[in-house]
Amino acid sequence: MSINAERCWDAVLRRDAAEDGRFIVGVITTGIYCKPSCPSRRPLRKNVRFYTSPQEAERDGLRPCLRCCPLSADDPAVARIRALCAYIEEHSGESVTLEDLGHRGGLSPYHLQRTFKSVVGVTPKQYLNACRMGSFKEQLRAGKSVTEAIYEAGYGSSSRLYERSGASLGMKPREYRNGADRLAIRYAVHQTGAGLMLVAATGRGVCAVEFGDSPEELERSLREEYPAAEITAIHPPYAEPFRQWLADLSRQVNGAQPARQLPLDVRVSAFRAKVYEQLRAIPAGETRSYSEVAAAIGRPSATRAVARACATNPVAVTVPCHRVVRRNGDMGGYRWGIDRKRKLLDAEAAMLKR
Ligand SMILES: [Zn+2]
């Protein structure tokens, strides 16, 4: 079965239940896949991928959404867990205990833990923490103070948030808010062999490299990524070192091995930073599988997390996530479209033959 992305996106916008079962909507930034009619907030178009089956979405490292339950709507165990997820989302600002949840789901805490994990992929506690972290970040972006955001997100005290934020935020909450406020970002849009490329940088290094079809779409996406930053478009002639960075990136799009690694200024978790470092060590013209990358960073069972790190890479090309493919030689996914991934790999292969 082939997929018409335009039509699928249309169905998602209409939340068309008649399309349920015909295709699956994957959201690469949250790592979740949905039915077309899912009642959750609509994702951004650029973060969405369409699949013919849940299995295909799972191969890309995505988990089923518990709200719309794309796996099997009539499995009662799944339905119960789905109701619990909705409950957790609604009550993440309050205290939610395993006992509460077990009671609501008619399960012992032990069975709850197991069933929940097998359906959702994480424990109820982790799910709750993820909901809180999501709401916490939203509050900060909406301009709330750190203290307000902590309480509204349901963290009992600030120390509990700080304990957790290391892994998921990559920086202390206050820095996340203040840093984004003060951040000055310059960007340029440049035509390359793989289409329009946006390159954005702070004073410290490159913070975004994205491909897109129009300058407007690229700019919108940058503003969504850094809502509080001061963002300015710049035009040629570019000042150094921006000119050099842009020239290096353009050469790499055409297949060249970089002469030096560009300085990066991206805010990612320690895990993702490790994955990106590993990707930068793959020479142009070569590929690795997701599981090889996972093994190389000493986390052989983290293949899915590696796939997600690739799917949410903020800096195309300079972190060459296009060099990661499936073990069976399939292309795997690419945040900026599979055609671009193929183009980049072909360009590198051609450059090697010269
Ligand atoms: Zn959903």
Side-chain angles (χ1 to χ4, degrees):
M1 184 181 119
S2 74
I3 282 191
N4 176 334
E6 280 314 295
R7 256 197 68 217
C8 291
W9 179 240
D10 238 47
V12 171
L13 291 178
R14 282 181 280 118
R15 296 203 165 99
D16 189 349
E19 296 286 328
D20 288 355
R22 303 222 171 112
F23 67 94
I24 289 290
V25 190
V27 185
I28 54 175
T29 37
T30 54
I32 280 177
Y33 67 89
C34 289
K35 292 202 267 203
S37 69
C38 181
S40 300
R41 211 169 62 167
R42 288 193 194 89
L44 293 176
R45 174 67 186 89
K46 62 160 180 146
N47 296 331
V48 164
R49 276 198 215 134
F50 301 109
Y51 301 94
T52 53
S53 68
Q55 290 69 31
E56 208 185 309
E58 299 211 350
R59 274 201 300 272
D60 245 9
L62 304 178
R63 291 180 283 109
C65 165
L66 263 295
R67 195 82 179 267
C68 62
C69 203
L71 248 192
S72 146
D74 28 63
D75 180 340
V78 173
R80 265 205 304 273
I81 299 294
R82 175 181 166 193
L84 286 181
C85 283
Y87 177 85
I88 294 175
E89 281 165 33
E90 273 160 40
H91 295 83
S92 70
E94 302 152 29
S95 100
V96 178
T97 66
L98 267 186
E99 287 68 35
D100 285 348
L101 293 175
H103 189 70
R104 298 192 74 85
L107 291 161
S108 73
Y110 172 75
H111 277 107
L112 168 71
Q113 190 90 336
R114 279 187 55 140
T115 317
F116 197 98
K117 180 139 194 209
S118 76
V119 176
V120 190
V122 296
T123 66
K125 193 97 209 157
Q126 288 168 323
Y127 192 83
L128 176 64
N129 285 339
C131 291
R132 285 179 175 166
M133 185 57 77
S135 122
F136 175 74
K137 283 185 167 186
E138 245 166 52
Q139 311 266 8
L140 284 186
R141 288 195 171 158
K144 294 251 166 78
S145 75
V146 172
T147 320
E148 274 175 304
I150 283 170
Y151 286 98
E152 286 191 28
Y155 294 103
S157 73
S158 56
S159 69
R160 270 163 75 191
L161 172 70
Y162 285 96
E163 275 161 29
R164 271 176 201 125
S165 62
S168 26
L169 219 51
M171 58 181 0
K172 291 274 167 64
R174 201 173 295 278
E175 294 171 45
Y176 182 80
R177 180 164 176 270
N178 297 344
D181 283 346
R182 275 190 272 107
L183 216 53
I185 294 175
R186 295 156 300 146
Y187 78 93
V189 177
H190 191 70
Q191 186 67 52
T192 72
L196 286 180
M197 175 177 73
L198 173 144
V199 179
T202 66
R204 288 190 293 186
V206 175
C207 65
V209 179
E210 294 215 43
F211 292 106
D213 297 323
S214 77
E216 295 76 27
E217 170 203 326
L218 283 164
E219 193 201 316
R220 203 178 323 123
S221 155
L222 181 66
R223 288 190 188 280
E224 273 162 17
E225 202 80 37
Y226 296 97
E230 201 179 290
I231 293 176
T232 324
I234 54 170
H235 304 279
Y238 302 112
E240 296 295 354
F242 198 95
R243 190 200 60 81
Q244 188 64 52
W245 293 344
L246 197 56
D248 280 5
L249 284 164
S250 301
R251 271 197 296 276
Q252 286 178 56
V253 170
N254 293 328
Q257 175 83 39
R260 73 205 82 125
Q261 297 283 19
L262 298 188
L264 295 183
D265 185 14
V266 293
R267 283 113 213 272
V268 297
S269 68
F271 176 83
R272 276 169 68 192
K274 232 172 172 184
V275 172
Y276 295 161
E277 219 170 277
Q278 195 61 38
L279 299 189
R280 290 187 120 188
I282 308 173
E286 292 185 20
T287 58
R288 301 283 184 273
S289 70
Y290 295 99
S291 46
E292 280 171 333
V293 174
I297 59 167
R299 298 277 303 277
S301 64
T303 306
R304 278 180 169 206
V306 167
R308 262 190 81 182
C310 291
T312 53
N313 175 17
V315 281
V317 182
T318 185
V319 169
C321 59
H322 62 277
R323 293 185 196 138
V324 189
V325 297
R326 290 202 189 116
R327 196 163 31 187
N328 64 10
D330 271 12
M331 295 285 286
Y334 191 54
R335 181 169 176 184
W336 298 279
I338 208 74
D339 288 344
R340 281 204 181 90
K341 185 172 190 173
R342 194 169 294 120
K343 249 184 203 156
L344 291 169
L345 290 173
D346 286 351
E348 291 179 359
M351 189 65 98
L352 278 187
K353 284 200 202 114
R354 267 189 225 160

